[in-house]
Amino acid sequence: MDDKRIALLTEILAGARRVAVLTGAGISAESGVPTFRGKDGLWKQYRAETLATPEAFERDPALVWEWYDWRRGLIAPVEPNPGHRVLAGWQDLFEDLAVITQNVDGLHEKAGSRNVVELHGNIWKVRCTRDHTVSESRLTPLPEIPPRCPDCGALLRPHIVWFGEALDASLLERAFALTEACQVMFVIGTSAVVQPAASLPYAAGRAGAKVVEINLEPTPFTPRADFFFPGKAGEILPLLDRRLRDSLRAGGRDAPQGH
Ligand code: APR
């Protein structure tokens, strides 16, 4: 890791009040949650068209639910990793720290993050296909596939944004507002290709924020990043956290040792 770049970023962070973080599947990889487009990514093994579209659900809801039941079984036992924990800890260091995630695994909240925008939904939530009521469901494995609404008996669907579906307009609006108001934006563990989330880092840059990308490898966004730190989020974030807290303490701020 380039020490000079870390020192410069630490200085910028020490003066920042509003920070936004965009995360993707990469931040959960070290917790054991498969990514989508990585080497053993889900879309390398399964066809999104047959599992993650409204048409696929229309055609075969049981098949879609079998797949989500499998993913829920995978995610249920995993724990947040140091990357998630550092971001949760940063809530106490900045006036405003928002996590905008594409992940549906709920690990940011499990790590203690309070200000989380789940752009693509949550795998632990289901939605009634008749009245669109959203409720929590944590049973794994599901007792019945496909599951049905306990109130009206209609099919339940995962409360997840599928390909070809629009994101919740109010969540997207909030994500852009947080992005355009921040002084520093982190872009962590995302291939930065899926819209509209992939537009957020560019919007942050246009609004004058410093944009910091952390990824195992460069992405289409990397040429526009002010800082690019190649590597694992679960290793780079704790290092940045230590340097930031050291610098804040040196500046007389109360910044106890992080996670
Ligand atoms: N630390 C940092 N980055 C990592 C790590 C890690 N430990 N492991 C993998 N990565 C990076 C990969 O290099 C890749 O760029 O994380 C990125 C994961 O990219 P994707 O698998 O494409 O996931 P994501 O960007 O979150 O996908 C966006 O696409 O499939 C849809 O709705 C789904 O939310 C998802 C969206």
Side-chain angles (χ1 to χ4, degrees):
M1 289 269 291
D2 181 335
D3 216 56
K4 276 213 188 75
R5 303 292 290 157
I6 296 178
L8 179 58
L9 176 56
T10 303
E11 211 180 297
I12 292 168
L13 285 172
R17 296 185 1 253
R18 292 183 302 279
V19 174
V21 183
L22 174 67
T23 65
I27 198 167
S28 295
E30 291 156 81
S31 294
V33 181
T35 67
F36 294 94
R37 294 169 190 82
K39 186 166 64 52
D40 309 319
L42 291 171
W43 300 146
K44 294 269 167 55
Q45 303 167 52
Y46 305 96
R47 295 185 52 223
E49 309 81 76
T50 60
L51 294 166
T53 63
E55 295 76 21
F57 188 72
E58 190 76 29
R59 231 181 0 253
D60 191 343
L63 176 69
V64 171
W65 266 116
E66 270 154 21
W67 190 63
Y68 279 97
D69 194 37
W70 168 74
R71 285 182 64 194
R72 287 158 53 105
L74 242 167
I75 295 170
V78 308
E79 289 299 327
N81 63 59
H84 298 106
R85 298 193 190 289
V86 163
L87 296 178
W90 282 3
Q91 295 171 122
D92 309 323
L93 293 187
F94 299 102
E95 192 179 299
D96 193 353
L97 189 279
V99 176
I100 302 162
T101 189
Q102 299 167 85
N103 301 344
V104 297
D105 55 34
L107 290 178
H108 284 298
E109 266 119 352
K110 199 170 180 181
S113 285
R114 296 182 295 270
N115 189 5
V116 181
V117 180
E118 294 181 312
L119 284 177
H120 295 166
N122 186 303
I123 206 162
W124 302 117
K125 292 182 180 165
V126 294
R127 192 159 83 227
C128 172
T129 54
R130 180 175 292 152
D131 66 6
H132 313 301
T133 305
V134 175
S135 53
E136 191 170 87
S137 146
R138 288 197 169 263
L139 295 171
T140 54
L142 284 162
E144 180 197 16
I145 286 197
R148 293 193 170 273
C149 176
D151 301 333
C152 71
L155 265 183
L156 291 173
R157 60 160 282 174
H159 183 57
I160 283 180
V161 179
W162 283 329
F163 290 101
E165 292 188 317
L167 274 61
D168 177 303
S170 63
L171 288 181
L172 195 55
E173 205 179 304
R174 189 162 153 233
F176 273 96
L178 290 164
T179 296
E180 283 150 6
C182 73
Q183 290 143 327
V184 179
M185 175 170 238
F186 282 83
V187 181
I188 305 172
T190 179
S191 52
V193 294
V194 174
Q195 294 295 352
S199 298
L200 292 166
Y202 299 89
R206 280 194 303 275
K210 292 291 179 207
V211 186
V212 184
E213 188 179 29
I214 299 174
N215 196 305
L216 290 180
E217 58 196 19
T219 70
F221 178 74
T222 307
R224 301 282 291 274
D226 298 289
F227 297 84
F228 175 64
F229 294 111
K232 293 183 171 180
E235 293 170 5
I236 292 173
L237 285 167
L239 189 145
L240 285 177
D241 183 56
R242 276 194 300 281
R243 295 290 295 268
L244 173 59
R245 290 174 187 272
D246 291 349
S247 155
L248 291 172
R249 278 199 303 278
R253 280 261 311 270
D254 174 28
Q257 269 312 333
H259 291 274

